[in-house]
Amino acid sequence: MDFLGETCWLVDEQGERWSRNRLDVEVDRVAEDLGRVPPGPIFVHARNDVATVITILGALSSQRAVGVLPPFDGHDAHRTLYAKFRPALVLTGSGPSSIAGYRHASVNRMSAWERLSHDHPGCHPDLQLLLTTSGSTGSPKLVRLSTAAVRSNSSAIVTALGIVGADVAITSLPLAYTYGLSVLLTHLRAGAGVVLSGASVTDRGFWSSVEEHAVTTLAGVPRTYAMLRAMRWRVEASPSVRTLTQAGGRLDPEVAAWLRATLRGGGVRFHVMYGQTEATARITILPAHEFHTHPDAVGFPIDGRVEIESAPSATDGSGRVVLFSPSVMMGYAESAEDLLRGDELRGRLATGDLGRLDSEGRLYLTGREKRIAKVSGIRIDLDDLELLLREDVDAIVSATEAEQIVVAVVADAKTAAGHVNNIARRLGLRRDAFLVRAVDQIPLLSNGKPDYSSLRKESTQS
């Protein structure tokens, strides 16, 4: 299959190596099995293990649309997705005791549920991947990605990062997260190796795998690098690692400064990247040496071009970030019938982010259209407010429809209130404009990003 390079290989979660030939045999077997199930998409609750990988590759090989979801956790939202999209097969690893309208089956060593009815509108022939919009299992819609988009974005990333057969990546992110899935697909496509691990970077076993298999490439989100800093990780401790990539949000300035000091002169490349599920995976890349010279940039387009739709009042060239690329999704799906829809966006994606381009074409993100709140008529950039708080404490910020700013602070109630009082005075905002939550840890989605949705939901229910 053309998603696998000739020399690619895997190391499974048990430490066993899988050659390209062995992968071919298993992928072909799964593809044949999937060809016999009813029409409709295949849903896989993904874990960082070989059964998940072969199932995904088997679906890609058989040209069945595959929905890659977070591991099954009993959440009602999973059953909502089943009811909405009526998948032909749900593969869970370990999952529900029953699904209405489905019979129990077994595919590729994974517990599976097969739909009894063959009545389904089917999927568009170009449809390849279905992913949740934000990594949240509660998302009511899925992103529809075509075969061409997946191939185009994967090839562009291989070229941009210079991935070659000698490279070895490790699954430091969940495969259900578009960035984590992209790391897998790009390295396999380039003929490189991938070590499957479900361990955190804080686990000793993770670094044992890095050392044993001479891992060269590590991908992370901002929290990954915050944890490495807390661990006092050093380049010298992992001599095989040559490339680090980061996406999924802006690095904390202190973490970025630590990385620059840690990596300076060490021979390790650090690439800031920016992406969205709606653009398959990654949109821009910052050349490694520019991490030091252009610290606020997210880089140049990987696959296509970026334009800025300037706001009428903007004086610095900033505005809405719009991507034109073959990596752009076909559109969203909110029902089984939507899976038959063709390409509705035609390669144009309004990202929802705000930014500007410099004279050389580098993109700088300045905010998020949906991360702007109004309090008593005053526009508040929630990202800027979050950065202000993070100068002193670990915190995230959201907002309710009732013009109230919600802040979760890792501290006791009195300390949390004190930090927010200081910020309110500093910005000239009313104290009662803030709803403060003292938490033990920041709520996160399965992909490691802050869970702003749950913060808003908890606030409206209290």
Side-chain angles (χ1 to χ4, degrees):
M1 60 180 294
D2 63 1
F3 281 98
L4 298 181
E6 290 185 5
T7 57
C8 72
W9 50 274
L10 280 177
V11 172
D12 66 22
E13 63 276 16
Q14 306 301 325
E16 185 176 348
R17 184 174 172 125
W18 291 59
S19 67
R20 163 65 199 264
N21 287 341
R22 185 181 179 188
L23 284 170
D24 277 341
V25 170
E26 292 298 310
V27 168
D28 288 346
R29 179 180 60 79
V30 171
E32 185 177 349
D33 289 343
L34 296 181
R36 292 193 286 263
V37 303
I42 309 298
F43 277 9
V44 182
H45 287 282
R47 299 180 183 275
N48 289 7
D49 59 26
V50 72
T52 293
V53 171
I54 290 174
T55 302
I56 292 172
L57 294 176
L60 297 178
S61 179
S62 64
Q63 298 185 332
R64 294 292 297 256
V66 56
V68 183
L69 308 177
F72 183 85
D73 60 3
H75 200 286
D76 287 342
H78 286 134
R79 295 184 185 275
T80 300
L81 287 174
Y82 307 155
K84 278 177 172 286
F85 298 102
R86 295 159 51 209
L89 199 68
V90 179
L91 296 107
T92 62
S94 61
S97 57
S98 65
I99 301 177
Y102 286 74
R103 68 176 182 86
H104 191 262
S106 179
V107 175
N108 190 34
R109 294 172 290 173
M110 294 182 75
S111 176
W113 293 93
E114 183 178 342
R115 197 180 69 243
L116 293 171
S117 167
H118 282 246
D119 179 22
H120 191 281
C123 299
H124 191 279
D126 293 340
L127 182 60
Q128 186 76 90
L129 269 180
L130 293 163
L131 299 173
T132 55
T133 56
S134 64
S136 169
T137 59
S139 174
K141 60 186 177 182
L142 297 177
V143 171
R144 297 183 291 119
L145 296 169
S146 69
T147 304
V150 176
R151 288 174 177 164
S152 183
N153 197 250
S154 296
S155 295
I157 292 169
V158 168
T159 300
L161 287 174
I163 303 172
V164 296
D167 284 316
V168 183
I170 187 168
T171 55
S172 49
L173 300 167
L175 292 180
Y177 174 29
T178 182
Y179 181 19
L181 183 61
S182 172
V183 171
L184 172 76
L185 295 179
T186 53
H187 282 76
L188 292 181
R189 187 179 183 89
V194 178
V195 178
L196 298 175
S197 172
S200 165
V201 295
T202 59
D203 295 339
R204 182 174 298 177
F206 180 90
W207 296 104
S208 295
S209 294
V210 169
E211 181 179 358
E212 180 180 356
H213 302 292
V215 168
T216 65
T217 306
L218 178 65
V221 293
R223 190 166 183 83
T224 307
Y225 292 102
M227 289 190 290
L228 291 181
R229 179 186 178 223
M231 292 166 51
R232 300 183 180 179
W233 178 80
R234 296 175 297 108
V235 171
E236 297 81 8
S238 309
S240 64
V241 176
R242 300 193 299 266
T243 304
L244 302 175
T245 63
Q246 178 262 318
R250 184 178 178 181
L251 282 173
D252 182 277
E254 290 188 4
V255 174
W258 167 78
L259 271 169
R260 291 188 186 93
T262 300
L263 301 179
R264 193 178 298 277
V268 176
R269 300 183 303 160
F270 183 82
H271 289 287
V272 171
M273 307 184 83
Y274 156 62
Q276 288 188 356
T277 305
E278 289 86 344
T280 301
R282 288 173 270 182
I283 295 172
T284 65
I285 181 172
L286 186 69
H289 67 277
E290 294 193 4
F291 179 53
H292 300 275
T293 60
H294 296 79
D296 297 324
V298 294
F300 300 90
I302 291 172
D303 187 22
R305 73 181 193 279
V306 167
E307 294 184 3
I308 303 297
E309 292 184 349
S310 296
S313 59
T315 59
D316 61 352
S318 65
R320 298 178 179 88
V321 178
V322 180
L323 172 68
F324 296 85
S325 169
S327 297
V328 169
M329 68 175 177
M330 300 168 70
Y332 292 114
E334 298 188 60
S335 67
E337 289 69 26
D338 289 343
L339 303 180
L340 266 177
R341 293 179 179 273
D343 184 359
E344 298 174 317
L345 298 190
R346 304 294 180 185
R348 180 188 183 277
L349 177 68
T351 66
D353 288 311
L354 303 173
R356 63 181 178 84
L357 296 171
D358 67 14
S359 59
E360 295 179 302
R362 292 179 195 83
L363 177 63
Y364 295 77
L365 297 179
T366 58
R368 176 92 179 149
E369 286 187 282
K370 294 182 181 179
R371 291 279 289 160
I372 302 294
K374 273 194 174 183
V375 179
S376 299
I378 302 172
R379 284 169 56 87
I380 304 295
D381 187 312
L382 298 178
D383 290 323
D384 285 348
L385 179 56
E386 191 168 280
L387 285 175
L388 279 176
L389 275 163
R390 286 185 173 180
E391 290 177 1
D392 301 308
V393 68
D394 195 8
I396 62 170
V397 177
S398 188
T400 70
E401 295 294 329
E403 293 194 349
Q404 195 165 37
I405 296 172
V406 189
V407 185
V409 183
V410 180
D412 60 75
K414 183 177 180 180
T415 304
H419 285 295
V420 173
N421 289 343
N422 290 337
I423 291 295
R425 284 194 296 268
R426 184 171 171 179
L427 298 179
L429 295 173
R430 307 185 327 270
R431 174 58 183 84
D432 61 3
F434 292 86
L435 182 60
V436 184
R437 300 290 187 198
V439 297
D440 294 327
Q441 58 184 17
I442 295 298
L444 299 175
L445 296 169
S446 60
N447 60 16
K449 292 183 180 181
D451 190 352
Y452 294 113
S453 178
S454 72
L455 183 59
R456 288 193 298 271
K457 187 181 297 185
E458 180 186 351
S459 301
T460 56
Q461 292 174 348
S462 61

